[in-house]
Amino acid sequence: MLTTFNSPGPVLCGVEECGLRAFGVVRAPLEAIPALRKRPGPPVGEPLPASLLKHADEQTVAGVAAVARAIHDFGLQGRSWIDWGVLGAPRFPGRLCVPEAIRHFLAEGPLGVSPHIIPQRSTHSLSGTVSLAFQMRGPNYGVGGADGALAEGLLAGLAIMVDDRPPGLWLVLTEWDPEPVPEDPGAEQAVCHAVALALVPDPADGSGGRLRLTRAAGPGAATPGVSSLADFLTDPADREARPSWVCPLEWGDVLEVIPPGGPAGAGERPAGSGERPA
């Protein structure tokens, strides 16, 4: 069980882990988002309502597409997700639209600002939209929203699986890397990265791998990005080079995503092995 006692992080009672039933990865340049709004991935069931993603944040669009990709790639089409929950962990949602909204507010007042911004461009929008898209009736909420969203999402997802043991939980992690720079034609091409992880309580059911919390071998290192996790999940050479993808936590423990056939037990990992390359 993960518990807290006025400490900077959870108290680790041995090694905590859950299974990873499926995963999906989407990398979408800014100019590809409009097409994803209309068709967010391969068909995996009933077509989504045309209006569902019309006003959605770009990270939400990529997150829905990543879930669809996971369902397709792991042959889960036609499965009911009604008892599953959703946890969304975006980084800086709404950043693209807020500057324009502020300009309209200053020029035109409240009537110049779209009413869709709060429901569609906030931290909880990602999880809520995924639950609607795939008819999930379990708990859904957002975590993070800023730097550190990746680690917060992974830790919250594992805590839910260990403590509450729901039938399953979709954990959707999104961020821009590099960030979009509006009205700057010379800026580096912005890419939205999204990773969807289907978590299950029993590690033995993890046909897509496992998520594990364990002790670090040394002091914490820099937190990697969603793009780093996406690379690990989709690049066979990356998975062969290291047995797990590591996300250090600020109080010294580490979260690991372990592919199928990866190391079992509580083996310690070098704290810096998950550091994002420069």
Side-chain angles (χ1 to χ4, degrees):
M1 174 179 291
L2 296 172
T3 55
T4 58
F5 300 96
N6 297 319
S7 63
V11 175
L12 182 64
C13 304
V15 171
E16 306 287 1
E17 62 180 357
C18 66
L20 179 57
R21 178 64 182 84
F23 59 81
V25 172
V26 165
R27 300 179 181 89
L30 181 59
E31 60 270 20
I33 296 295
L36 279 181
R37 290 187 189 277
K38 299 177 181 179
R39 187 182 179 186
V44 293
E46 292 294 323
L48 300 182
S51 61
L52 182 65
L53 299 177
K54 182 178 180 180
H55 302 287
D57 186 83
E58 291 79 8
Q59 293 189 56
T60 296
V61 174
V64 170
V67 174
R69 173 57 58 187
I71 293 173
H72 176 271
D73 289 354
F74 283 80
L76 302 175
Q77 300 93 326
R79 175 170 178 166
S80 172
W81 305 103
I82 194 167
D83 294 325
W84 280 52
V86 188
L87 194 64
R91 188 183 71 169
F92 304 137
R95 174 175 277 190
L96 269 177
C97 75
V98 168
E100 182 179 359
I102 292 175
R103 286 195 295 268
H104 281 290
F105 178 81
L106 294 175
E108 307 169 35
L111 293 180
V113 180
S114 170
H116 295 286
I117 289 180
I118 293 177
Q120 299 280 4
R121 304 275 182 162
S122 63
T123 304
H124 299 282
S125 302
L126 171 57
S127 62
T129 304
V130 169
S131 71
L132 290 172
F134 301 99
Q135 302 180 33
M136 302 170 188
R137 299 296 180 263
N140 81 79
Y141 54 94
V143 299
D147 282 332
L150 172 59
E152 292 178 35
L154 290 168
L155 187 61
L158 180 59
I160 290 172
M161 299 312 297
V162 170
D163 286 350
D164 299 332
R165 298 187 65 83
L169 177 78
W170 281 99
L171 172 59
V172 187
L173 310 155
T174 63
E175 69 178 26
W176 288 98
D177 184 19
E179 288 276 349
V181 183
E183 302 175 2
D184 184 358
E188 187 176 359
Q189 183 187 51
V191 178
C192 188
H193 302 266
V195 172
L197 305 176
L199 306 181
V200 290
D202 188 351
D205 293 337
S207 55
R210 289 171 288 140
L211 173 62
R212 182 170 73 183
L213 173 67
T214 188
R215 289 294 185 190
T223 301
V226 175
S227 60
S228 169
L229 176 56
D231 290 341
F232 178 77
L233 291 172
T234 57
D235 186 354
D238 195 352
R239 294 198 301 273
E240 289 178 3
R242 47 180 173 160
S244 66
W245 175 89
V246 176
C247 179
L249 300 173
E250 61 183 14
W251 55 88
D253 297 336
V254 293
L255 287 157
E256 296 179 89
V257 174
I258 304 169
E268 293 184 340
R269 304 280 302 134
S273 58
E275 187 170 354
R276 189 181 207 164

